[in-house]
């Protein structure tokens, strides 16, 4: 059954673009034909592949004109201890923000779970971060009731992750998803839900991996 697409705007949170990123070094052609330099210059080929593969059920995936370092996120891991996005560097990550009060978020969770089951491993992982800040037992209980068994439970009860990702992605709602390469650079942004485990979704991840 196709996932119902949607996007819920966050109340009172303005989406601010990052500015002042210093660029240096040799340039490479980016996914939209522009020159890319600096710490994410090596991500340019992946940008081109993602841009070409973003179609059908994942047509909403937007490859940025230039890749940039992913935000420095700190959140709780499955064991309850704090971890960081930087600690997961070295493999492709699909970082998804979701909440129990976001119907489109919950609608796409089964597809994210299937994607993790089919492709998760040493080269790729889905990192679904719950951003509920109240009734903190509810998210994990909902995952169990929904039969979500392959996604580790990541959470940010302190409310730090959502505004950081919204600024980075220029996004004011949920669900919001970042595609981050092994170098820790953002190569795609999805604003809204998607059928992640569809043939189009699997093809997008394979393209990002260069397969």
């Amino acid at each position: 059954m196709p996932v119902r697409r949607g996007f819920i705007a966050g109340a009172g949170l303005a989406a601010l673009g990052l500015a002042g990123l210093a660029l240096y070094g040799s340039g490479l052609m980016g996914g939209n034909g522009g020159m890319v330099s600096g710490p994410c210059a090596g991500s340019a080929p992946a940008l081109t592949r993602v841009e070409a593969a973003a179609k059908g059920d994942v047509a909403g995936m937007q490859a940025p004109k230039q890749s940039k370092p992913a935000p420095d996120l700190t959140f709780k891991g499955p064991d309850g201890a704090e971890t960081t996005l930087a600690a997961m560097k070295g493999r492709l990550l699909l970082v998804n923000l979701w909440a129990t009060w976001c119907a489109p978020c919950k609608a796409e969770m089964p597809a994210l779970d299937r994607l993790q089951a089919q492709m998760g491993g040493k080269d790729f992982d889905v990192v679904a971060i719950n951003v509920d800040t109240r009734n903190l037992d509810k998210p994990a209980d909902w995952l169990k009731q929904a039969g979500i068994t392959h996604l580790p439970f990541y959470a940010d009860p302190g409310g730090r992750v959502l505004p950081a990702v919204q600024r980075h992605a220029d996004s004011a709602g949920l669900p919001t998803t970042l595609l981050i390469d092994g170098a820790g650079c953002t190569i795609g942004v999805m604003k809204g839900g998607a059928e992640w485990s569809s043939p189009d979704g699997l093809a997008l991840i394979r393209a990002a991996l260069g397969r």
Side-chain angles (χ1 to χ4, degrees), residues 53-181:
K55 56 188 178 181
D57 289 321
V58 289
M61 179 64 76
Q62 302 170 356
K65 291 182 179 180
Q66 293 185 345
S67 184
K68 57 187 176 182
D72 183 16
L73 304 180
T74 300
F75 46 93
K76 292 186 180 296
D79 60 357
E82 286 201 341
T83 187
T84 65
L85 198 60
M88 302 176 181
K89 196 172 178 179
R91 58 186 182 271
L92 182 71
L93 301 174
L94 191 72
V95 179
N96 172 269
L97 303 193
W98 71 282
T100 57
W101 44 262
C102 168
C105 299
K106 294 191 291 185
E108 70 174 354
M109 292 299 287
L112 287 166
D113 193 52
R114 291 191 295 269
L115 176 61
Q116 177 65 20
Q118 293 181 64
M119 297 198 66
K122 64 178 182 177
D123 297 324
F124 168 74
D125 269 318
V126 177
V127 182
I129 305 174
N130 177 264
V131 295
D132 284 46
T133 57
R134 299 180 179 179
N135 302 317
L136 299 182
D137 292 335
K138 187 176 180 180
D141 289 342
W142 182 85
L143 290 175
K144 292 178 182 178
Q145 294 170 8
I148 306 300
T149 59
H150 300 287
L151 295 177
F153 181 57
Y154 296 104
D156 177 39
R160 298 169 295 181
V161 166
L162 180 58
V165 170
Q166 287 179 325
R167 288 192 298 269
H168 181 79
D170 191 21
S171 172
L174 288 176
T176 294
T177 306
L178 304 179
L179 187 60
I180 300 170
D181 68 11

